[in-house]
Amino acid sequence: MPKFTAELMRIYNANAGAYSEVTDREATGDKSVTIDRDEKNILYSVYNSSSIVRRVGHSLIDDVSRYKQFTVHNSNNQEYQTSLAVVHPKETGNELRLYFKSGEFSPRSGDIWFIFTRSGETLLHIGWSSRANWDSAIQAIHENDKKVVRFEAQEKIDDEDFEYQRQIGAAAVRLPIVSSVLKYNRNASIGLKAQESAGYRCEVDPNHNTFISVTGRPYVESHHLVPVSQQSRFPSASLDVEENIVALCPLCHRHLHYGIGESKKELIDRLWRSRKDRLSSREINISYEELLKIYMN
């Protein structure tokens, strides 16, 4: 049956695993699940195959050796330890079954049962989940991965922004700028001039009030509308020019970096319409669609 995917490894913090769907016969008749090839490999990585006992006649061998210790994950996401019978149900052959125990391991028809190992732990893990919860957990991982991709993409727009704002603050109070070399060249004085030209007001909405900073002016932040990380696309123009720098309140600035959806698109649209002619005057030729693509990954 299927091996654990990378997503399942992360959900259960496993280093190897396999799973199967419980059949109606397993759930209501045999009260056990068949341990197939991949599941056997997981089982045998902890318990030697020679330690598995075999049914004789119509009865299970009444021997403690048929019980193996497991860490169980039930359908309510509870975790506990118990012993369960693992037996070859026939006198010959390789068929192997894991037997239910009421209240401790009792999946229903259509549920997913699973087995896995976890680094640093000696006990095998087994468990069961409804198909709906199983699929939901995998979907949640996929959705989170998409969020990680979006976050990392937004970070790449300008992962030196904090240092840039610090340098502008230093320039505002005429302190010497002491900093490690930034990946993308930018002049703090130009960023400060952009704030002055905007009257220290947010260019998305001048009514966005902030606070009076230590410079004695309303606090705003400078943002390159076409990010400096895109400089290689404009070999004949500098992106570190006042025409490309907008003054923003901190909320709008973070919104541009980390926001999603229509509200973020509205910010970009407003700034684009107010700046497109000024961008063109400095040969920063970019379409609205191209700018949107940078921000809306």
Side-chain angles (χ1 to χ4, degrees):
M1 301 307 285
K3 295 181 181 179
F4 267 23
T5 61
E7 292 87 353
L8 290 168
M9 296 285 199
R10 289 160 57 193
I11 291 171
Y12 292 104
N13 191 25
N15 61 352
Y19 64 95
S20 300
E21 182 172 325
V22 180
T23 67
D24 185 62
R25 177 179 175 179
E26 289 174 329
T28 61
D30 297 334
K31 296 291 184 181
S32 62
V33 289
T34 300
I35 302 177
D36 288 326
R37 184 188 61 186
D38 291 326
E39 296 150 353
K40 281 181 182 177
N41 290 337
I42 303 299
L43 180 74
Y44 292 158
S45 71
V46 174
Y47 293 114
N48 193 292
S49 60
S50 63
S51 71
I52 308 299
V53 298
R54 193 174 286 278
R55 183 191 290 268
V56 176
H58 296 289
S59 302
L60 288 172
I61 297 175
D62 187 16
D63 190 298
V64 294
S65 62
R66 65 190 172 110
Y67 288 99
K68 305 300 180 187
Q69 195 74 12
F70 298 95
T71 296
V72 179
H73 302 255
N74 69 16
S75 58
N76 294 320
N77 294 318
Q78 296 170 320
E79 187 175 323
Y80 47 86
Q81 293 181 7
T82 192
S83 57
L84 299 171
V86 181
V87 175
H88 289 292
K90 299 177 181 177
E91 294 185 26
T92 61
N94 294 320
E95 183 180 348
L96 187 60
R97 303 192 72 82
L98 171 65
Y99 287 83
F100 296 179
K101 181 186 284 188
S102 179
E104 296 192 28
F105 183 69
S106 51
R108 296 176 298 182
S109 177
D111 284 351
I112 302 297
W113 88 271
F114 51 90
I115 182 170
F116 67 89
T117 57
R118 186 177 282 169
S119 295
E121 297 186 16
T122 56
L123 287 183
L124 270 174
H125 291 254
I126 63 168
W128 76 99
S129 169
S130 69
R131 167 63 77 173
N133 288 344
W134 181 262
D135 292 341
S136 178
I138 295 172
Q139 181 62 29
I141 285 287
H142 289 161
E143 290 300 318
N144 188 69
D145 286 345
K146 291 178 184 177
K147 293 176 183 178
V148 169
V149 170
R150 286 199 298 265
F151 179 83
E152 290 178 343
Q154 295 306 304
E155 281 285 281
K156 289 178 182 177
I157 287 176
D158 189 353
D159 58 0
E160 299 172 328
D161 182 67
F162 179 81
E163 175 62 18
Y164 177 53
Q165 303 305 325
R166 190 194 70 79
Q167 291 185 7
I168 292 173
V173 295
R174 299 181 182 179
L175 279 176
I177 297 173
V178 179
S179 170
S180 57
V181 176
L182 298 177
K183 285 188 295 185
Y184 308 111
N185 290 328
R186 61 192 102 184
N187 188 322
S189 297
I190 299 175
L192 178 59
K193 184 65 168 62
Q195 293 181 10
E196 293 172 348
S197 297
Y200 298 94
R201 291 182 179 275
C202 178
E203 294 188 56
V204 170
D205 186 341
N207 294 317
H208 288 175
N209 293 322
T210 58
F211 54 89
I212 301 301
S213 74
V214 294
T215 66
R217 301 284 189 176
Y219 182 80
V220 290
E221 297 177 347
S222 297
H223 177 78
H224 291 78
L225 184 56
V226 181
V228 289
S229 59
Q230 304 295 310
Q231 181 61 70
S232 62
R233 294 176 55 181
F234 302 90
S236 61
S238 172
L239 296 181
D240 190 35
V241 292
E242 190 178 339
E243 290 81 358
N244 186 42
I245 300 174
V246 292
L248 300 173
C249 69
L251 183 60
C252 286
H253 195 189
R254 293 308 101 191
H255 198 164
L256 273 181
H257 277 277
Y258 301 111
I260 59 173
E262 286 301 313
S263 60
K264 179 176 180 178
K265 188 176 179 181
E266 288 174 11
L267 262 64
I268 298 167
D269 181 69
R270 189 174 301 184
L271 293 171
W272 162 255
R273 284 187 283 105
S274 69
R275 287 295 178 125
K276 59 181 180 178
D277 291 338
R278 298 177 66 184
L279 291 174
S280 294
S281 73
R282 296 304 297 262
E283 297 184 5
I284 302 173
N285 298 311
I286 185 170
S287 69
Y288 174 69
E289 290 72 23
E290 290 171 324
L291 185 66
L292 205 60
K293 186 175 180 181
I294 293 171
Y295 284 97
M296 302 297 287
N297 285 327

